[in-house]
DNA sequence: ATGGCATAGCGACTATGA
């Protein structure tokens, strides 16, 4: 089966591309992030017509996560245990579901904005809660993966030029330590193939010709438990989906499983 | 030191993203 995660940067603006991609890619399960619409505005009928059930948590203009599945959808859980709030609100950043033989979590980790911004400790707190939340699924027999936009480059190789990002979020030791704690719960980074160049970036800023110049980041990850990891036969970033007018600034991360 | 580009929202601009 084929599982994918993709930050689509607005479901409304990207619907045609999402429908086209899930069909041509033949994805069985798709984790989406940054819906940027309310739960009630998620086009579940369009996904149903394409053969997919939908679990979604949207909250309007920002954030929003979903899971599409054509292999069943059960045991849906919104948010994570102990999820911190920001500005007194629980943001739509996590949804988990069992899809046939696998359990997947669609995650949109807070950006952090700036290391001096309140959003930064919020990001770290979210990751700390995630590490505790993931422990049960990570050690279970059911194949499980926490997938999504982690907004962290795990290593200096996961960014086009780390020197250009000195002092910014996404590459700090605090963030990498928080990510390592999530992995220490029993989840391993499923490292994808690059379809072009040497590194499998998943995000390129719209500005500055960053995509043509391959100034990218690898921030979209699939963290898998042993049962999931053992079933992986291939993983790659579909950078072709980043091309052309109307693309998201993220490309889908695709994982194939012998399940 | 800042913006670039893209998105949504009652909008003629701002906030957010990474």
């Amino acid at each position: 089966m084929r599982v994918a995660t993709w930050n689509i940067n607005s479901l409304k603006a990207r619907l045609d591309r999402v429908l086209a991609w899930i069909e041509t890619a033949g994805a069985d399960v798709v984790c989406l992030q940054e819906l940027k619409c309310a739960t009630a505005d998620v086009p579940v009928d369009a996904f149903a017509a394409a053969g997919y059930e939908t679990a979604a948590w949207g909250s309007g203009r920002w954030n929003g996560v979903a899971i599409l599945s054509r292999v069943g959808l059960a045991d849906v859980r919104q948010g994570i245990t102990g999820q911190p709030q920001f500005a007194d609100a629980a943001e739509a950043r996590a949804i988990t579901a069992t899809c046939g033989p696998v359990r997947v979590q669609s995650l949109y980790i807070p950006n952090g904005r700036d290391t001096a911004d309140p959003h930064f400790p919020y990001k770290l707190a979210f990751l700390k809660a995630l590490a505790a939340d993931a422990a049960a699924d990570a050690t279970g027999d059911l194949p499980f993966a926490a997938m999504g936009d982690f907004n962290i480059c795990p290593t200096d190789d996961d960014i086009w030029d780390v020197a250009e990002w000195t002092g910014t979020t996404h590459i700090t030791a605090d963030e990498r330590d928080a990510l390592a704690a999530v992995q220490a719960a029993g989840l391993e980074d499923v490292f994808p193939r690059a379809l072009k160049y040497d590194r499998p970036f998943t995000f390129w800023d719209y500005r500055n010709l960053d995509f043509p110049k391959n100034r990218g980041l690898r921030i979209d990850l699939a963290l898998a438990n042993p049962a999931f990891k053992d079933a992986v036969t291939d993983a790659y970033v579909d950078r072709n989906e980043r091309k052309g007018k109307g693309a998201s600034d993220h490309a889908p991360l695709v994982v194939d499983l012998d399940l």
Side-chain angles (χ1 to χ4, degrees), chain A residues 103-235:
Chain A
R103 186 158 177 79
V104 296
Q105 187 167 54
S106 181
L107 285 168
Y108 180 47
I109 303 298
N111 174 289
R113 298 178 185 167
D114 186 284
T115 55
D117 192 288
H119 214 256
F120 190 72
Y122 169 55
K123 180 180 194 173
L124 299 178
F126 195 103
L127 289 160
K128 186 174 183 179
L130 180 63
D133 181 85
D137 283 320
T139 55
D141 294 330
L142 185 65
F144 169 79
M147 314 176 70
D149 179 359
F150 281 75
N151 271 318
I152 299 171
C153 303
T155 74
D156 287 353
D157 285 335
D158 296 312
I159 183 165
W160 61 279
D161 184 354
V162 72
E164 287 281 334
W165 283 62
T166 302
T168 72
T169 59
H170 292 63
I171 59 169
T172 68
D174 283 346
E175 289 161 281
R176 287 173 175 171
D177 287 348
L179 178 63
V182 175
Q183 294 178 255
L187 301 173
E188 188 176 340
D189 183 7
V190 177
F191 196 86
R193 289 188 286 131
L195 297 189
K196 191 180 180 185
Y197 305 114
D198 58 339
R199 291 178 288 176
F201 297 142
T202 65
F203 166 87
W204 299 260
D205 199 297
Y206 286 123
R207 295 166 286 192
N208 259 343
L209 298 174
D210 275 6
F211 181 63
K213 292 179 178 175
N214 200 34
R215 296 178 174 179
L217 282 65
R218 187 176 77 94
I219 53 177
D220 298 271
L221 310 174
L223 304 185
N225 76 349
F228 189 105
K229 177 82 177 182
D230 288 348
V232 173
T233 57
D234 194 14

Side-chain angles (χ1 to χ4, degrees), chain A residues 1-22:
Chain A
M1 71 183 302
R2 173 163 284 176
V3 178
T5 181
W6 187 14
N7 179 322
I8 52 173
N9 185 22
S10 167
L11 180 51
K12 185 182 176 194
R14 215 72 58 210
L15 182 59
D16 289 347
R17 275 186 92 126
V18 171
L19 289 169
W21 185 81
I22 59 177

Side-chain angles (χ1 to χ4, degrees), chain A residues 6-24 30 32-37 41-50 52 54 66 68 241 245-248:
Chain A
W6 187 14
N7 179 322
I8 52 173
N9 185 22
S10 167
L11 180 51
K12 185 182 176 194
R14 215 72 58 210
L15 182 59
D16 289 347
R17 275 186 92 126
V18 171
L19 289 169
W21 185 81
I22 59 177
E23 181 178 349
T24 56
V30 185
L32 300 174
Q33 299 87 36
E34 282 211 82
L35 306 183
K36 291 186 170 178
C37 70
D41 293 329
V42 174
V44 293
D45 292 344
F47 293 134
Y52 293 81
T54 304
L68 311 179
E241 184 52 43
K245 195 168 179 61
S248 170

Side-chain angles (χ1 to χ4, degrees), chain A residues 52-119:
Chain A
Y52 293 81
E53 294 177 89
T54 304
W57 182 20
S59 57
R61 186 175 179 185
W62 307 114
N63 314 314
V65 286
I67 297 170
L68 311 179
S69 173
R70 63 178 186 186
V71 293
L73 188 68
D75 299 324
V76 175
R77 188 164 66 106
Q78 184 174 294
I80 58 173
T81 302
Q83 180 174 328
Q85 299 193 334
F86 191 72
D88 297 324
E91 297 184 319
R93 294 184 177 276
I95 193 164
T96 315
T98 300
C99 306
V102 301
R103 186 158 177 79
V104 296
Q105 187 167 54
S106 181
L107 285 168
Y108 180 47
I109 303 298
N111 174 289
R113 298 178 185 167
D114 186 284
T115 55
D117 192 288
H119 214 256

